[in-house]
Amino acid sequence: NAGVTQTPKFRVLKTGQSMTLLCAQDMNHEYMYWYRQDPGMGLRLIHYSVGEGTTAKGEVPDGYNVSRLKKQNFLLGLESAAPSQTSVYFCASRAEINEQYFGPGTRLTVT
Amino acid sequence: GENVEQHPSTLSVQEGDSAVIKCTYSDSASNYFPWYKQELGKRPQLIIDIRSNVGEKKDQRIAVTLNKTAKHFSLHITETQPEDSAVYFCAASMTGSARQLTFGSGTQLTVLP
């Protein structure tokens, strides 16, 4: 049981490039979330999904898109990366109870 | 939307002493309050949580108290050990299908040997 996994672990992008972050969970959880973590600001919700085929905006959605084509996967896309998107990105998933399980994170640098 | 404020941002204690971290929330509809511990370079991990129908919850050296009237909740760690050194985050969530968490900005706890 791998729990929540994220790919890649690290990435460096140039301004304007695009990329997709993959989150996968093997716990059959309905709910999945993408957060970004910046120094001194805690974790902020980017987008979330309440089930396969659904997505919704969180607190800081601008510049990001998401898709949940399969229940176990939640993809986060950056269409045109900007230096302000340099951050650590965490994915999380949750069953019906409240606890969210986090993935190991992806450290993204945009130059 | 919900707003969660967390204090202090840094906290240093001597090994064996107690540590207290406080959070306030803005939305009276919030009813679930977890605390996460994050070690350097690692993922956040749930250490304790409390629901609004309970005033206090304990798990060994860790306890959380909730004051719904004042809209604040606190984390108490007793007999601190060096391995308690980490960043601690509080969060609040409302009922609803998504139950999104709103996080505080974190407290860097350092336990000095």
Side-chain angles (χ1 to χ4, degrees):
Chain A
N1 213 352
V4 182
T5 58
Q6 292 182 231
T7 310
K9 290 184 169 51
F10 304 93
R11 185 73 186 267
V12 178
L13 284 181
K14 293 189 189 306
T15 298
Q17 287 184 320
S18 63
M19 78 164 294
T20 301
L21 283 68
L22 170 63
C23 176
Q25 52 94 4
D26 60 3
M27 297 176 282
N28 202 34
H29 287 171
E30 288 292 337
Y31 307 92
M32 296 187 75
Y33 309 83
W34 275 108
Y35 294 91
R36 61 177 288 172
Q37 184 175 35
D38 302 296
M41 299 188 74
L43 293 112
R44 292 182 293 167
L45 184 65
I46 305 171
H47 286 281
Y48 63 95
S49 169
V50 300
E52 181 179 311
T54 75
T55 63
K57 293 180 180 179
E59 179 187 354
V60 288
D62 294 344
Y64 305 95
N65 56 75
V66 287
S67 64
R68 183 104 181 264
L69 298 179
K70 293 183 179 180
K71 186 177 183 179
Q72 63 267 35
N73 296 337
F74 195 28
L75 278 63
L76 178 71
L78 286 74
E79 290 183 350
S80 179
S84 60
Q85 294 178 305
T86 293
S87 189
V88 180
Y89 292 86
F90 285 100
C91 174
S93 72
R94 179 178 69 80
E96 281 301 325
I97 60 173
N98 288 101
E99 179 176 358
Q100 289 190 17
Y101 294 87
F102 284 85
T106 295
R107 186 173 296 275
L108 175 65
T109 302
V110 182
T111 61
Chain B
E2 176 66 277
N3 182 49
V4 177
E5 295 195 356
Q6 182 171 347
H7 300 281
S9 57
T10 61
L11 179 61
S12 292
V13 299
Q14 290 294 135
E15 183 177 356
D17 286 351
S18 296
V20 180
I21 302 170
K22 299 181 179 181
C23 289
T24 59
Y25 61 99
S26 60
D27 195 327
S28 55
S30 290
N31 61 3
Y32 174 66
F33 306 93
W35 285 89
Y36 285 83
K37 175 183 180 183
Q38 187 178 29
E39 297 175 349
L40 189 63
K42 302 284 182 64
R43 72 190 80 189
Q45 292 197 298
L46 181 74
I47 55 171
I48 195 167
D49 57 13
I50 191 168
R51 287 169 172 78
S52 58
N53 57 347
V54 174
E56 183 174 359
K57 184 176 178 181
K58 238 181 169 179
D59 183 3
Q60 299 183 335
R61 297 187 295 109
I62 293 173
V64 57
T65 57
L66 171 64
N67 183 327
K68 283 182 62 180
T69 303
K71 290 191 280 188
H72 67 70
F73 55 112
S74 300
L75 178 71
H76 304 254
I77 305 174
T78 59
E79 300 171 21
T80 53
Q81 301 165 5
E83 52 264 39
D84 293 330
S85 295
V87 179
Y88 291 80
F89 292 97
C90 63
S93 170
M94 290 186 288
T95 44
S97 63
R99 299 178 195 170
Q100 304 100 301
L101 291 175
T102 301
F103 284 84
S105 54
T107 296
Q108 172 69 62
L109 173 64
T110 303
V111 180
L112 305 168

